Amino acid sequence: MFNMQLVVKKPLKDLPQTFSVKKYDVELDDGRSVIYDICEVFSNTGEISFFVSGFGQKEWPVDCLFDLSSVIEQLPEIIIKVNDRSDFSLDFYEQGIEREVRFAYCGDHYVLTCKSRTDWNPEPDKIRMKKEAVRFLFMNLYNKFIELGNYLCPDLTRNKF
């Protein structure tokens, strides 16, 4: 099974909120800048973890700051592809993790294939998941990201970038 989730170690009400209006440069910044800043808030709490497992590894070496932000920026297109029953890839491109998970639609399920660009080898390198389980996985991650962002840094989640 392949799994991704945001894990909060404390009740949300016990986490510090951030209220600093950030100024973005129209020429230098885009939505990825806002996503990165939200992930930085998550990381700075010390109480939120990005958890990924699968392909023979119970806990991938990922973090909220770099790896989560790279996944979140891919989510809108991925969610559309899952709803359309299309093939797609999820790229963990940050240094240190460097893996790609390809999702090939086949009937009512997806065949996930993991390719490593490091000396780590997935075992197994293929996993089957029901389409609805894949959809739930990505929607759950997206919804938790929005929920945490709206609570911890609402000024950033409301940014129109």
Side-chain angles (χ1 to χ4, degrees):
M1 178 64 91
F2 178 68
N3 189 23
M4 289 189 304
Q5 58 185 323
L6 281 169
V7 178
V8 184
K9 299 171 193 168
K10 287 184 175 180
L12 245 134
K13 65 179 178 55
D14 295 339
L15 297 179
Q17 293 179 297
T18 302
F19 293 100
S20 61
V21 178
K22 187 133 185 187
K23 302 242 189 239
Y24 293 99
D25 185 314
V26 178
E27 292 181 24
L28 300 175
D29 293 308
D30 60 16
R32 291 175 295 196
S33 303
V34 178
I35 290 169
Y36 179 84
D37 289 340
I38 293 169
C39 290
E40 185 174 37
V41 169
F42 292 1
S43 181
N44 288 343
T45 69
E47 300 296 334
I48 299 173
S49 298
F50 180 41
F51 176 81
V52 182
S53 66
F55 300 98
Q57 191 170 21
K58 290 183 181 181
E59 190 169 336
W60 288 19
V62 295
D63 64 26
C64 275
L65 189 56
F66 299 108
D67 302 303
L68 177 61
S69 63
S70 71
V71 168
I72 294 296
E73 74 183 36
Q74 298 172 70
L75 279 186
E77 183 178 332
I78 286 173
I79 290 168
I80 290 168
K81 298 271 187 180
V82 171
N83 288 333
D84 291 344
R85 297 179 174 98
S86 300
D87 297 352
F88 61 92
S89 292
L90 174 60
D91 195 355
F92 291 85
Y93 56 78
E94 286 295 333
Q95 185 176 356
I97 186 76
E98 301 168 69
R99 301 172 190 181
E100 180 182 32
V101 180
R102 295 181 186 148
F103 292 74
Y105 187 72
C106 183
D108 66 343
H109 65 276
Y110 274 94
V111 175
L112 288 64
T113 305
C114 185
K115 300 288 182 193
S116 174
R117 296 185 293 268
T118 67
D119 59 359
W120 174 77
N121 291 308
E123 184 60 43
D125 66 344
K126 290 187 184 336
I127 296 174
R128 292 171 57 107
M129 286 180 69
K130 291 274 192 189
K131 181 223 177 234
E132 283 309 310
V134 171
R135 183 180 180 287
F136 177 80
L137 177 80
F138 288 112
M139 291 305 301
N140 188 52
L141 181 62
Y142 174 80
N143 290 333
K144 191 68 167 182
F145 180 82
I146 297 298
E147 174 193 354
L148 292 173
N150 283 341
Y151 181 79
L152 295 173
C153 48
D155 56 312
L156 291 173
T157 58
R158 285 190 221 117
N159 192 292
K160 300 295 183 219
F161 237 121

